[in-house]
Amino acid sequence: MNTTLIVFVVAYLLGTLALGVWAGTRIKTTTDFAIAGRSLPLIMVVTTTFATWFGAETVMGIPAKFVQGGLNAVVEDPFGAGTCLILVGVFFAAKLYKLNLLTIGDFYRKRYGKGIEVFCSVAIILSYLGWVAAQITALGLVFNVLTGGAMSDTAGMIVGTLAVLVYVVVGGFLAVAWTDFIQMIVLVVGLAAIAIYAAGLAGGADQVFAMAASADLWRFWPEPSFKEIAFFIAAGLTMMLGSIPQQDVFQRVMSARDASTARRGATIGGASYILFAFVPMFVVCAAVVVMGQQALELAKGDYQRLLPTFVLERMPLVMQILFFGALLSAIKSTSSATLLAPSTSFVENILRNLRPDMNDREQLLATRWTIVLFAAFVLGYAIAMKGTSIYELVSSAYQVTLVGAFVPLVMGLYWKRATTQGAIFSVGAGIGTWLVFFPQVSDFGEAFPGQLAGLLAAFAGMYAGSMLPQWLRNRHEAVHELEGSPHGHAQPHHRAAGHAGH
């Protein structure tokens, strides 16, 4: 156990807690707590957007997947996830910002009514289970590694959750934004320094790139078969589109000081995420060059320990401090955002429907209590799911919003004919089809990806549900007009005969 390293880590945690408490003194209303009073400048929108995505799976999950399967294995994240933010910036940020809403669920209520609001909000909240659990799992792993096994994974999960929970409950999104700003500086500087040092250990960056090329890790496109292409597209779309109707993304859009800042912040944040996600991939490739078969065995078995093990065994103290500072920054920034987002959605879009007479002070208190309860629930879920990979916990989280919430959002913004009935059909068809493809239900999922089938069904449901009433109405009017004519059914015959005679 390295006492000096632990002291630095504890000091860093206490520093972020102090920053969160300071931010809490500036919280006056629910709007301040949930979206920082719509006041953040561009640089903070970029850092908090980037920080939300750059979590445990980016540092530990994606690199190990890359080493095992190349770029093709990480199409979902970072490529899909980063493209999501770019799409939000280009197509959604300005439109949503101008609506002046507190949560993404408010859009569903305004466009389709309370039923769709509640249903989509529940889907969004449930999708955060795997996402937050992945961060808590990673926190447990970090504390276990740091203490040389003296602190168990479970104890580490509890300590890490409490460390994040305090500043989120006290300072809300304002605390999250400020700590994200500091943590992203630590993250970028720390990982960049680690990458440079790792390249030196490997004998130069050219050696690392040569290893990646020899192992065919730059291969991106799938094999040219229907099944491979379908699963490749589904993997990319899961986070690319499934993350768009998410409260944490929406909060970053709405926290900007104007629509232009919201649009540019999301776009820059997404592009930065894709580019910087290559840094931990590079470090893991360097680890393979330096550690050889030991690194590959860790990547196949306990891959989440590969990078921490490489840093602790092969790098000096200053690099260890930088690495664990960067790693904790990544995990804490994501976990803080993903604790706040579903709690805000629950209070605004579910609890307020049960208690519409709540004033702003009561809503703020309810949000804080919900964060505590949600954190306790997810902590229990993370402990129960121990052994599940961080990458899998994250990637499975967004399928439910892809098939249940994305289509009503995009069609509600861009298709004027979208109706409440269309949204109901869309949600029902999307989730129903997705469930049918579960391996416990059928073998369909082995031949075609369930989330892609669910997405296609959701679009079909939206079109059919929105157009069916209009088609029935037009048909009824046509029949009524025909039956109400003075000549009844003989009218077309007379017209035809008259025309011929003429």
Side-chain angles (χ1 to χ4, degrees):
M1 186 189 301
N2 192 320
T3 307
T4 306
L5 177 58
I6 293 173
V7 168
F8 270 98
V9 168
V10 171
Y12 178 61
L13 289 174
L14 291 175
T16 55
L17 286 178
L19 186 61
V21 171
W22 169 80
T25 62
R26 304 180 63 176
I27 300 297
K28 306 298 180 187
T29 67
T30 303
T31 302
D32 292 339
F33 190 84
I35 52 176
R38 292 165 64 96
S39 62
L40 297 186
L42 177 62
I43 184 62
M44 291 189 73
V45 176
V46 171
T47 54
T48 194
T49 304
F50 177 87
T52 305
W53 254 229
F54 212 100
E57 74 293 340
T58 316
V59 180
M60 296 188 288
I62 292 172
K65 281 275 187 181
F66 172 67
V67 166
Q68 294 174 72
L71 291 178
N72 178 263
V74 294
V75 62
E76 188 167 349
D77 192 6
F79 294 106
T83 305
C84 161
L85 295 178
I86 295 171
L87 291 175
V88 167
V90 175
F91 296 107
F92 295 88
K95 279 181 172 287
L96 290 172
Y97 190 91
K98 291 172 184 176
L99 295 176
N100 195 20
L101 308 171
L102 189 66
T103 68
I104 190 71
D106 290 346
F107 170 80
Y108 294 109
R109 181 183 66 247
K110 189 171 182 179
R111 186 68 171 81
Y112 302 114
K114 289 186 177 181
I116 294 297
E117 171 199 11
V118 171
F119 199 95
C120 287
S121 296
V122 168
I124 290 166
I125 291 167
L126 288 176
S127 74
Y128 280 97
L129 273 177
W131 185 243
V132 187
Q135 313 312 313
I136 291 175
T137 299
L139 283 169
L141 173 66
V142 169
F143 286 116
N144 176 261
V145 171
L146 275 173
T147 58
M151 181 181 287
S152 68
D153 283 6
T154 301
M157 288 181 189
I158 295 169
V159 171
T161 302
L162 289 174
V164 175
L165 188 61
V166 170
Y167 76 81
V168 176
V169 169
V170 173
F173 188 70
L174 192 60
V176 171
W178 273 105
T179 51
D180 280 355
F181 181 70
I182 302 299
Q183 287 169 170
M184 284 311 96
I185 295 173
V186 175
L187 174 67
V188 170
V189 172
L191 281 181
I194 293 291
I196 293 169
Y197 193 87
L201 288 177
D206 56 329
Q207 297 295 317
V208 179
F209 290 126
M211 187 283 296
S214 65
D216 196 26
L217 297 184
W218 301 125
R219 184 176 64 85
F220 180 73
W221 300 109
E223 296 296 325
S225 70
F226 176 80
K227 181 177 178 179
E228 291 292 327
I229 292 171
F231 276 89
F232 177 82
I233 292 172
L237 293 181
T238 296
M239 288 190 74
M240 187 188 300
L241 304 183
S243 301
I244 290 176
Q246 287 287 356
Q247 177 61 19
D248 57 305
V249 176
F250 180 82
Q251 280 176 313
R252 275 128 195 85
V253 169
M254 297 303 290
S255 66
R257 62 187 177 191
D258 54 51
S260 175
T261 301
R263 184 177 63 252
R264 289 185 293 146
T267 306
I268 296 170
S272 302
Y273 174 72
I274 293 174
L275 292 174
F276 204 75
F278 278 93
V279 175
M281 288 191 233
F282 176 86
V283 176
V284 164
C285 287
V288 172
V289 174
V290 175
M291 298 170 68
Q293 192 60 33
Q294 181 191 355
L296 291 174
E297 290 300 323
L298 275 172
K300 290 178 184 175
D302 198 2
Y303 76 82
Q304 292 157 181
R305 295 179 183 269
L306 174 53
L307 261 184
T309 301
F310 175 51
V311 172
L312 286 173
E313 290 185 359
R314 304 296 177 118
M315 295 190 181
L317 178 62
V318 65
M319 290 297 158
Q320 294 174 17
I321 291 171
L322 285 172
F323 173 75
F324 282 100
L327 180 57
L328 282 170
S329 294
I331 298 169
K332 287 170 77 261
S333 62
T334 301
S335 53
S336 61
T338 48
L339 277 176
L340 179 62
S343 304
T344 307
S345 288
F346 174 79
V347 173
E348 171 70 10
N349 303 115
I350 296 176
L351 189 60
R352 276 183 69 88
N353 280 313
L354 300 174
R355 289 194 54 199
D357 57 334
M358 275 197 305
N359 59 38
D360 191 77
R361 181 175 169 277
E362 290 171 331
Q363 186 174 349
L364 182 56
L365 182 63
T367 304
R368 283 178 161 143
W369 273 112
T370 302
I371 293 170
V372 174
L373 294 173
F374 186 74
F377 180 70
V378 175
L379 175 61
Y381 177 76
I383 292 171
M385 295 294 287
K386 270 205 311 186
T388 306
S389 77
I390 291 171
Y391 193 92
E392 293 304 321
L393 281 170
V394 171
S395 62
S396 62
Y398 289 104
Q399 292 190 17
V400 63
T401 45
L402 175 69
V403 301
F406 171 71
V407 172
L409 173 64
V410 70
M411 300 299 274
L413 284 172
Y414 282 98
W415 193 41
K416 292 181 179 180
R417 292 186 174 185
T419 65
T420 300
Q421 183 168 310
I424 293 170
F425 274 47
S426 176
V427 171
I431 291 182
T433 303
W434 175 61
L435 291 174
V436 167
F437 278 71
F438 268 38
Q440 297 89 340
V441 179
S442 73
D443 296 329
F444 295 158
E446 294 180 10
F448 193 81
Q451 69 267 42
L452 185 54
L455 178 65
L456 295 173
F459 273 112
M462 173 60 79
Y463 181 80
S466 297
M467 299 304 292
L468 184 61
Q470 183 178 329
W471 180 80
L472 290 174
R473 185 168 57 251
N474 291 342
R475 187 171 184 276
H476 176 75
E477 289 174 356
V479 171
H480 183 72
E481 181 182 338
L482 194 61
E483 290 177 346
S485 66
H487 299 288
H489 290 288
Q491 185 182 11
H493 173 74
H494 288 315
R495 282 181 179 170
H499 179 73
H502 178 74

